[in-house]
Amino acid sequence: MDGRYVFRHAVTRFPEVIREALDANGLALSDLALLIPHQANLRISQMVAQSLELPEDKVFNNIERYGNTTAASIPIALSEALEAGRIRDGDLICLAAFGPALPGPRR
């Protein structure tokens, strides 16, 4: 795996698809109560939050406790956020994940 390419791809595409999903539903970033990203890499989550101008308290991370748990990372983080009282009834939560980039020209 080309780690640098994956990092660049993630920090570019995550914000794009989050904005796209919100726009498609007539919502804004300010409507989000919490972003729960795939817990692949803390730096990716931090860069995505910075790109979206989300404050630290609107992004849930637990990678420092478990590492990258692959497909289980979002369900684990969602469960922990609920248990910690970070999610309330009516909150808009964004669950965002990514996988390997499709083959093609690298930019």
Side-chain angles (χ1 to χ4, degrees):
M1 182 184 309
D2 182 347
R4 287 183 187 166
Y5 174 73
V6 171
F7 182 88
R8 280 194 322 269
H9 179 73
V11 300
T12 301
R13 295 293 295 147
F14 253 127
E16 287 175 1
V17 297
I18 290 168
R19 285 187 178 105
E20 182 181 315
L22 290 169
D23 288 347
N25 289 285
L27 299 166
L29 282 165
S30 59
D31 295 319
L32 277 182
L34 192 64
L35 168 63
I36 300 178
H38 171 58
Q39 304 291 307
N41 178 305
L42 183 58
R43 284 186 51 233
I44 290 173
S45 293
Q46 291 169 333
M47 293 291 290
V48 168
Q50 181 180 2
S51 174
L52 295 171
E53 297 180 1
L54 288 175
E56 189 176 308
D57 66 331
K58 283 198 167 194
V59 181
F60 188 86
N61 288 300
N62 66 2
I63 191 166
E64 66 279 1
R65 287 190 295 282
Y66 306 111
N68 183 350
T69 56
T70 64
S73 71
I74 289 177
I76 291 169
L78 178 59
S79 176
E80 287 192 352
L82 283 164
E83 288 176 11
R86 301 272 307 270
I87 300 172
R88 294 178 181 75
D89 285 347
D91 280 352
L92 179 65
I93 307 303
C94 178
L95 310 175
F98 69 93
L102 296 174
R106 294 189 181 180
R107 296 181 189 139

